[in-house]
Every structure is written in C-alpha cells, then in structure tokens.
C-alpha cells in the first residue's frame, strides 16, 4: 500500500496537535539552463515544490518540525493535502518582489484522467529505462478530484493499457453496466429506442474516486502532485518557446492590494509542459491562439455542450446497480440538441443530468430550469420520489470531435485530454480517449528527454492510435443534428447501422456557439415552473450542494473585456442571456440607484463550468483562474 509521512502541526483553533499525513514525494528535479535544447541531459538539481513549501525535512521520529504551518489544511483520506484556506498560509516560499522559479523535467497542468495518465505513463518509462526525470502535477482544485462530480460510464480500454492490474489494486471500478436503455421522451411518455451506446464491458463509476486513486498510483511512482495551485500564465523564453507555467498570486484583495497573507506565485519551469486542463482550458485556449494550432491542421472551431448533474440517494427497492439510461427529446425543443442521462451507481446512488448543446438559438432558454423540468417527467419522477439530493454540479463538454481537434503540439509541450477535445459524442465518453492521449504524449515526452526525438511524435502516434480511429468513425453524429432533431436521428442511424462510420463525406459544424444565439425579438420568453423543493430546486439550494467556495475578497476571475457591452448589447438585444445560461447565478441584472439594470457578477458562485466563456454573444466574458483551491468541492462518493 501507499506509504505516508506523518506530520504534526499546531493550529490556532485547536488546543491539541492534529496529525496529518502527506504522501511521500520525490524531492529531486532537474534544472533547465536558459536557452538549452530539450534534447540534452541536465545535471544540476534543484529542490522540489514540496521542499520549497517545507515538506522535505523529517526528523528520526517521522515528524516534521512545527515550523511548517499547516493551519487550515487536512488530510482528505487518500493522503493528498486538502486546502481549506489559502495556499499562502503554508509558508512564505518566495519574496514579494521576485517570483521564485522551480525546475522540473515535466510540468503537467491538471490532475484529471489525462494529466494523471501522462504522469503515470512517463514515470513507468523512467522505471523501464532506469532514467531519473522529475514530474510535477499542479491542480487548481483544493484536492485531486474536487472539481469532478461523481457519475460516469467508464470504458476501461485505456486503463487496461496503463495499469493492467487495476482490478487487483483496489481501483474504485466495481459496478459493471447491467442494462443499457435509450428513450425518446415526449412530455408524458417514454418511447424505447434501440440503444446505440454499446456499453457492454463498461462500468458505472465515480470519476472523482478514480482520479484520486490514480493520484495515489502516480505518487507511488514518484510524481509530485500539488492541489490548490492554479496555473494562471504561460512562461516563454526569448525564442517564444514554452518553458513552464506561473501560478497566480495568493492573498490579493479585490481592489488589487496585498493582504497580510500575500504570497507571490511561483514559476514552475519544465523542459516539457503538458496542458491537461479539461474542457475550455484557459491556458490551452491561449496556446491554440498564440501558435494558431487550429489553422495548422485546418481544424474547425470547437463546439460545446453544458452538462448539469445531480447525485441522488434513492429508495433501495428502486435501485439497480449498473443500470444506464440515456434520453433524447423533451424537455428540449426539436431545434435544440441535447439529452439526459441516468446512471445507477453503488450504495443506492444515482447520477442524473441533462446535457444541452450551447449552439441553441433561443436566448430565453435556461439549461438549469430545463433540467428541473426533466425530473418531473413521469418516467423519471417515480424513480426520484422518496430520495434526496447529495450533490450538484455543472461542466461544459467538448462536442466538436474529429473535425475540431487542433494540432496538439506547441514549442515546448503539448495539449492533452479534453483541453484538445477528444470526447466521443455518440458514446458520451471522453475519459478513455483523454487518458490515451495523455499516455501517448508521455511517450513522446520521454522520447524527447531520453532519446533526443521531438514532440511531433505525439501527433503522429495520436493519428495512428485507436483514439483517432474512434473519433473518425463518430465524426458525423454531432453535426448531423444541425438540421434538427429528427433529421439528425435519421442521419446518425444511417451512420451507425449502415455506413458504420465509413461515410465518404465529413459534415461541418454550424456557427460557433456564441454566434448561434438569436436576438430576443425572434423568440418568446419561456415561463418555467417554480421549484417544488422536492424534485426541483432553486439555484441557491443547488449551489449549497456543490460546496462551491471562493474567497470573496479577491480579484474577480470573470472579466469583461468591455464593461459597457452587457448594458448596451446583451440586455437590449439578447435579453441578458448570461443570467440564464449560467447554472450558478453568477450573472444577475440588478437595478442601480437610478433604477437602471446593471450587470452584477457574483464570482463567488462560479462552478468553473466555462459556459460564460463560450456562450456570451460578443465573447466579452473572459474566464480566468481564481485563487488556487477555490471553486466546487465535490466530495468522494
């Protein structure tokens, strides 16, 4: 089993010492001389991020000295350090004027399936080739898995390749799919259709639990994982090559002044930097624009959907572990692409949600309220009655597929996982493809550092892999629905059952999601029923179940490029759509002292779903990372 170091710290709020545990991490990393090529070896070593935070000194008793201030932190049960307050409360590890720089061989941004798969595969190769390279993974969530809500149908193909003995190593994958249904919903009926999902051999899992488990496996191999650190900028050298990332400053007040607990961000330098931020990653978007990665391969724009999800605990008599249900149709209209899912997990829990494509036309549509309506459908209501909601969350999904995959390699690194967009839309699965992309990038990275090759090997390997074959076969499903629900069903059925993905043509996507929004005068407002507090709920109630938290006194991470556009364009022309497409009531129009409506941004509510960054009609909202450790705090289920 995984080994832990035991540490003791004093807290001002506790009279007695509290014992915490941290995973053993490597404290050796390679420093990169300025201007040195990635294909060369490096001999100089520098302390790890963990040692800079004071986690490296151990007395013979196994305890750290009490100079390490871990106030406001706790062990989360898997050995990872969970941040309850500011990272800056740990220790002052940099000066106030100059940002400290720490060197690694590989820096990975994001501890999701792609990032952790890349870290694990890279360290496996290090062991196989007896090479000593350092790997650091930074995660903006307060702990690994904190930003991933439970409920996932998991295809284990990539995991079988990465960790073949996972069944014997207590992986949290133990509920095989037992049934696979597909319904077309009308307002009061459910019509059964042949299921196209082919979930035989798949599992219903908590993806949050899985990445926590993968994190432990990565640390056993010597990967350093640091949750609570938000990568806020890309670092370049004088030749415009990426040389790492910078974390944001902590302890900055809303007005930009430095608070007492101010901590300068740290520069994490990497010979190779891998971006695994998930859908619509902020740094990945900047990299794609900076190096024109879409243009390089004539990739189409990315298109997205918003997924809204709840985890329920239901009556044991109604619970069928492994049962999987997908639906199309109601409550969405025939011009809006989307559908619902309902997965029976273990312990009487189910995951239920609605996915709404963000290229919908009607600015009055409210995805959150559509989800509340869904739960009142007779075929859904009967299952939920008598149950209770445990968690709520939301996240955008890449739906562009094969046509929208950018060139994933940039000078100094690569984009992996959902940051590049490997979701298989008809399967509604992306974890296995994200993991495989991370593994392929890790192999290319190792080739660069150990064999003198280049990162373009990742692109070549990707196009030769089963990921590319799978996405190519599924490429026409999503754009088929540009023609409406029923033509889309007909075309996708033709693709699936007759052509089997071997069409001689490739459909193109329609307008980018933000351009698809019509002006308000072309539509009528939608009157949604009030929540009953039993099956449907208001936004504040749901937000409470997401454990979302941001320090209120920090600079807003949601920025308006032009502060006048909400009142001069969005409100008069589009009826203020940001007040509806956001599933967390971050955006509200409230009257000022002159009774004029003004946009109010409640950044502390943000679920990090990125819908605003995508759907704003004029692309006026920029999503940037808040202080590390902020956002949703989904617990282990």
């Amino acid at each position: 089993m995984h080994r832990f170091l035991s540490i003791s710290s004093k807290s001002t709020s506790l009279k007695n010492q509290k014992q915490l545990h941290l995973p053993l991490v490597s404290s050796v990393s390679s420093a990169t001389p300025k201007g040195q090529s990635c294909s060369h070896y490096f001999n100089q070593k520098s302390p790890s991020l963990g040692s800079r935070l004071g986690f490296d000194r151990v007395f013979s008793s196994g305890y750290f000295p009490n100079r390490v201030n871990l106030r406001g932190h706790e062990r989360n049960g898997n050995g990872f350090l969970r941040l309850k307050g500011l990272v800056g409360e740990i220790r002052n590890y940099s000066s106030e004027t100059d940002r400290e720089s720490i060197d690694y061989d590989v820096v990975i941004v994001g501890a999701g399936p792609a990032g952790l798969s890349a870290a694990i595969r890279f360290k496996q190769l290090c062991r196989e080739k007896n090479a000593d390279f350092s790997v650091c993974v930074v995660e903006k969530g307060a702990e690994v898995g904190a930003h991933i809500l439970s409920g996932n149908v998991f295809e284990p193909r990539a995991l079988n390749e990465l960790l073949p003995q996972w069944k014997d190593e207590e992986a949290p994958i133990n509920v095989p799919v037992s049934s696979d249904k597909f319904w077309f919903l009308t307002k009061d009926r459910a019509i059964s259709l042949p299921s196209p999902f082919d979930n035989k051999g798949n599992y219903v899992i908590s993806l949050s639990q899985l990445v926590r488990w993968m994190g432990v496996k990565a640390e056993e191999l010597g990967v350093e994982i640091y949750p609570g650190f938000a990568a806020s900028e890309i670092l370049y050298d004088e030749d415009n090559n990426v040389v790492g990332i910078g974390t944001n400053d902590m302890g900055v007040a809303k007005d930009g002044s430095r608070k007492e607990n101010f901590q300068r961000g740290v520069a994490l330098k990497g010979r190779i930097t891998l971006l695994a931020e998930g859908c619509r990653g902020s740094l990945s978007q900047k990299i794609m624009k900076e190096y024109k990665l879409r243009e390089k391969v004539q990739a189409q724009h990315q298109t997205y959907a918003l997924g809204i999800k709840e985890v329920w605990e239901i009556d044991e008599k109604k619970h069928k572990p492994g049962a999987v249900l997908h639906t199309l149709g109601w409550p969405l209209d025939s011009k809006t692409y989307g559908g619902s899912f309902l997965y029976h997990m273990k312990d009487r829990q189910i995951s239920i949600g609605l996915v709404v494509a963000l290229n919908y036309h009607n600015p009055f549509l409210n995805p959150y309220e559509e989800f509340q309506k869904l739960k009142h459908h007779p075929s859904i209501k009967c299952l939920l009655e008598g149950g209770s909601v445990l968690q709520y969350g939301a996240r955008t999904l890449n739906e562009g597929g094969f046509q929208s995959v950018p060139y994933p390699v940039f000078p100094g690194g690569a984009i992996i996982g959902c940051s590049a967009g490997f979701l298989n839309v008809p399967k509604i699965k992306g974890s296995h493809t994200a993991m495989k992309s991370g593994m392929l990038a890790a192999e290319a990275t190792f080739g660069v550092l150990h064999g003198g090759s280049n990162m373009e090997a990742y692109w070549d390997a990707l196009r030769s892999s089963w990921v590319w074959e799978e996405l190519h076969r599924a490429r026409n499903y999503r754009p088929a629905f540009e023609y409406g629900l029923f033509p889309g069903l007909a075309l996708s059925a033709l693709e699936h059952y007759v052509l089997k993905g071997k069409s001689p043509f490739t459909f193109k996507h329609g307008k980018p999601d933000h351009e698809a929004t019509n002006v308000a005068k072309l539509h009528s407002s939608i009157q949604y029923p009030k929540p009953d507090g039993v099956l449907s709920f208001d936004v504040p109630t749901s937000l409470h179940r997401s454990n979302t938290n941001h320090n209120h006194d920090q600079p807003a991470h949601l920025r308006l490029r032009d502060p006048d556009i909400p009142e001069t364009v969005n409100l008069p022309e589009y009826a203020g759509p940001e007040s509806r497409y956001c599933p967390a009531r971050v955006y509200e129009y409230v009257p000022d002292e002159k009774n004029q409506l003004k946009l109010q941004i409640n950044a502390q509510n943000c679920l990090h779903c990125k819908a605003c960054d995508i759907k704003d009609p004029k692309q006026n909202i920029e999503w940037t990372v808040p202080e590390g450790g902020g956002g949703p705090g989904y617990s282990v289920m």
Side-chain angles (χ1 to χ4, degrees):
M1 290 296 292
H2 191 52
R3 295 178 299 154
F4 296 100
L5 291 176
S6 179
I7 70 176
S8 173
S9 67
K10 292 182 179 180
S11 170
T12 57
S13 60
L14 296 177
K15 293 182 179 179
N16 299 322
Q17 287 188 337
K18 179 180 180 182
Q19 193 176 68
L20 304 176
H21 300 269
L22 290 171
L24 281 171
V25 295
S26 168
S27 61
V28 179
S29 61
S30 296
T32 308
K34 187 174 182 180
Q36 184 75 31
S37 168
C38 287
S39 62
H40 290 78
Y41 286 100
F42 296 79
N43 297 317
Q44 182 182 356
K45 298 293 182 179
S46 66
S48 68
L49 179 58
S51 65
R52 297 296 180 95
L53 294 174
F55 296 157
D56 57 329
R57 287 186 56 192
V58 187
F59 292 154
S60 59
S61 63
Y63 287 91
F64 282 103
N66 283 333
R67 65 178 177 83
V68 182
N69 178 10
L70 288 171
R71 182 187 57 199
H73 300 73
E74 62 182 13
R75 179 176 175 249
N76 69 10
N78 288 321
F80 299 109
L81 184 67
R82 177 187 176 98
L83 279 75
K84 297 181 70 177
L86 295 172
V87 174
E89 291 177 351
I90 300 176
R91 180 170 171 255
N92 190 345
Y93 57 85
S94 64
S95 70
E96 291 191 359
T97 55
D98 297 318
R99 177 165 55 186
E100 185 166 355
S101 178
I102 307 175
D103 296 292
Y104 289 90
D105 293 302
V106 182
V107 172
I108 300 174
V109 180
L116 291 174
S117 294
I120 290 170
R121 182 64 187 131
F122 182 83
K123 277 297 190 177
Q124 287 174 338
L125 290 169
C126 287
R127 286 195 172 186
E128 291 172 13
K129 303 297 183 179
N130 195 29
D132 179 21
F133 295 119
S134 58
V135 182
C136 172
V137 180
V138 291
E139 162 61 36
K140 66 181 173 66
E143 61 180 328
V144 174
H147 288 177
I148 300 177
L149 186 58
S150 299
N152 179 279
V153 175
F154 181 72
E155 183 173 320
R157 184 173 185 176
L159 186 61
N160 289 339
E161 298 177 11
L162 181 66
L163 296 167
Q165 306 303 317
W166 60 264
K167 290 184 179 180
D168 301 322
E169 296 182 7
E170 300 180 349
I173 304 174
N174 43 42
V175 181
V177 172
S178 58
S179 65
D180 194 3
K181 296 180 180 180
F182 184 41
W183 292 348
F184 179 81
L185 298 183
T186 65
K187 186 175 181 179
D188 51 15
R189 292 187 59 198
I191 302 169
S192 183
L193 299 175
S195 177
F197 296 101
D198 190 23
N199 280 312
K200 183 178 180 181
N202 295 335
Y203 296 81
V204 178
I205 69 165
S206 162
L207 191 59
S208 180
Q209 285 184 1
L210 178 61
V211 297
R212 284 171 166 86
W213 177 83
M214 290 178 66
V216 172
K217 294 300 174 185
E219 287 192 314
E220 287 175 348
L221 290 168
V223 176
E224 298 180 19
I225 303 176
Y226 296 100
F229 288 86
S232 59
E233 63 177 304
I234 297 289
L235 304 179
Y236 302 89
D237 65 12
E238 61 274 10
D239 297 319
N240 203 37
N241 298 314
V242 173
V243 293
I245 59 94
T247 66
N248 58 3
D249 294 343
M250 309 292 285
V252 178
K254 184 177 291 187
D255 62 5
S257 63
R258 296 180 176 184
K259 296 186 285 188
E260 291 183 359
N261 59 355
F262 172 79
Q263 297 292 318
R264 186 76 170 92
V266 61
L268 299 177
K269 298 288 188 69
R271 296 163 68 185
I272 296 293
T273 301
L274 301 179
L275 300 179
E277 302 172 283
C279 178
R280 194 73 174 192
S282 53
L283 298 186
S284 302
Q285 291 296 116
K286 292 178 181 178
I287 284 288
M288 283 188 268
K289 184 176 181 180
E290 169 74 18
Y291 295 107
K292 295 181 171 56
L293 298 184
R294 292 199 185 282
E295 293 84 346
K296 193 166 185 177
V297 290
Q298 289 78 53
Q300 296 179 41
H301 61 269
Q302 186 60 261
T303 184
Y304 302 89
L306 174 63
I308 300 174
K309 181 190 295 187
E310 289 176 347
V311 177
W312 283 65
E313 185 176 78
I314 63 171
D315 189 316
E316 187 171 6
K317 296 178 181 178
K318 302 176 184 178
H319 188 239
K320 300 176 181 178
V324 170
L325 169 67
H326 293 96
T327 78
L328 282 176
W330 192 88
L332 302 177
D333 60 54
S334 61
K335 295 181 180 180
T336 303
Y337 179 71
S340 75
F341 58 88
L342 196 157
Y343 307 147
H344 288 245
M345 302 184 287
K346 62 181 182 179
D347 300 328
R348 297 192 294 124
Q349 293 177 10
I350 65 165
S351 175
I352 179 173
L354 180 70
V355 177
V356 181
L358 286 176
N359 66 342
Y360 64 80
H361 305 305
N362 188 346
F364 294 105
L365 188 145
N366 186 319
Y368 178 86
E369 296 294 348
E370 296 289 336
F371 175 52
Q372 303 310 309
K373 285 172 60 178
L374 169 74
K375 292 180 288 180
H376 286 274
H377 190 279
S379 298
I380 306 295
K381 179 180 180 179
C382 62
L383 179 69
L384 300 180
E385 285 179 323
S388 58
V389 186
L390 303 178
Q391 292 192 30
Y392 163 80
R395 190 67 170 94
T396 49
L397 313 170
N398 297 295
E399 289 198 336
F402 180 81
Q403 293 92 318
S404 300
V405 175
Y407 187 71
V409 178
F410 54 84
I415 304 174
I416 62 178
C418 288
S419 288
F422 297 116
L423 179 77
N424 183 321
V425 176
K427 279 187 175 183
I428 320 179
K429 295 179 185 67
S431 298
H432 66 302
T433 49
M435 291 174 66
K436 182 63 175 178
S437 74
M439 294 158 61
L440 294 173
E443 291 166 2
T445 298
F446 189 81
V448 170
L449 301 183
H450 190 260
S453 62
N454 56 61
M455 281 304 294
E456 281 71 20
Y458 167 44
W459 177 237
D460 296 335
L462 188 63
R463 289 182 296 169
S464 300
S465 72
W466 54 259
V467 172
W468 203 252
E469 178 186 356
E470 185 174 311
L471 293 182
H472 183 267
R473 192 184 315 126
R475 70 193 184 283
N476 285 332
Y477 286 80
R478 175 64 186 89
F481 285 88
E482 290 289 335
Y483 304 100
L485 176 59
F486 295 107
L489 281 171
L491 288 170
S492 59
L494 178 67
E495 282 281 328
H496 183 78
Y497 295 107
V498 180
L499 299 175
K500 301 184 184 299
K502 298 180 181 179
S503 307
F505 48 82
T506 297
F507 292 146
K508 291 186 176 181
H509 297 303
K511 296 178 180 179
D513 295 337
H514 67 281
E515 293 182 8
T517 311
N518 290 338
V519 293
K521 65 182 180 181
L522 299 179
H523 298 270
S524 300
S525 63
I526 302 173
Q527 300 300 317
Y528 289 102
K530 292 184 178 180
D532 64 1
V534 178
L535 298 179
S536 51
F537 309 93
D538 59 22
V539 173
T541 300
S542 293
L543 271 177
H544 179 72
R545 294 171 176 145
S546 71
N547 293 318
T548 295
N549 181 60
H550 296 87
N551 187 333
H552 180 74
D553 188 19
Q554 66 171 294
H557 67 281
L558 302 163
R559 301 170 184 171
L560 300 178
R561 293 182 171 93
D562 183 341
D564 294 329
I565 282 181
E567 288 82 27
T568 60
V569 179
N570 285 11
L571 187 59
E573 295 187 20
Y574 299 95
E578 57 269 64
S579 64
R580 290 180 289 275
Y581 61 62
C582 173
R585 198 175 291 173
V586 170
Y587 304 95
E588 288 186 293
Y589 282 91
V590 297
D592 62 10
E593 63 278 1
K594 297 180 181 179
N595 209 31
Q596 298 294 314
L597 291 178
K598 298 292 183 181
L599 182 65
Q600 175 176 291
I601 300 179
N602 307 309
Q604 66 272 21
N605 291 359
C606 183
L607 289 168
H608 298 200
C609 76
K610 312 290 183 70
C612 57
D613 196 72
I614 297 165
K615 188 60 174 171
D616 184 74
K618 299 303 178 183
Q619 291 289 273
N620 189 45
I621 299 174
E622 180 184 11
W623 195 99
T624 60
V625 291
E627 284 190 350
Y634 305 128
S635 60
V636 179
M637 290 291 186

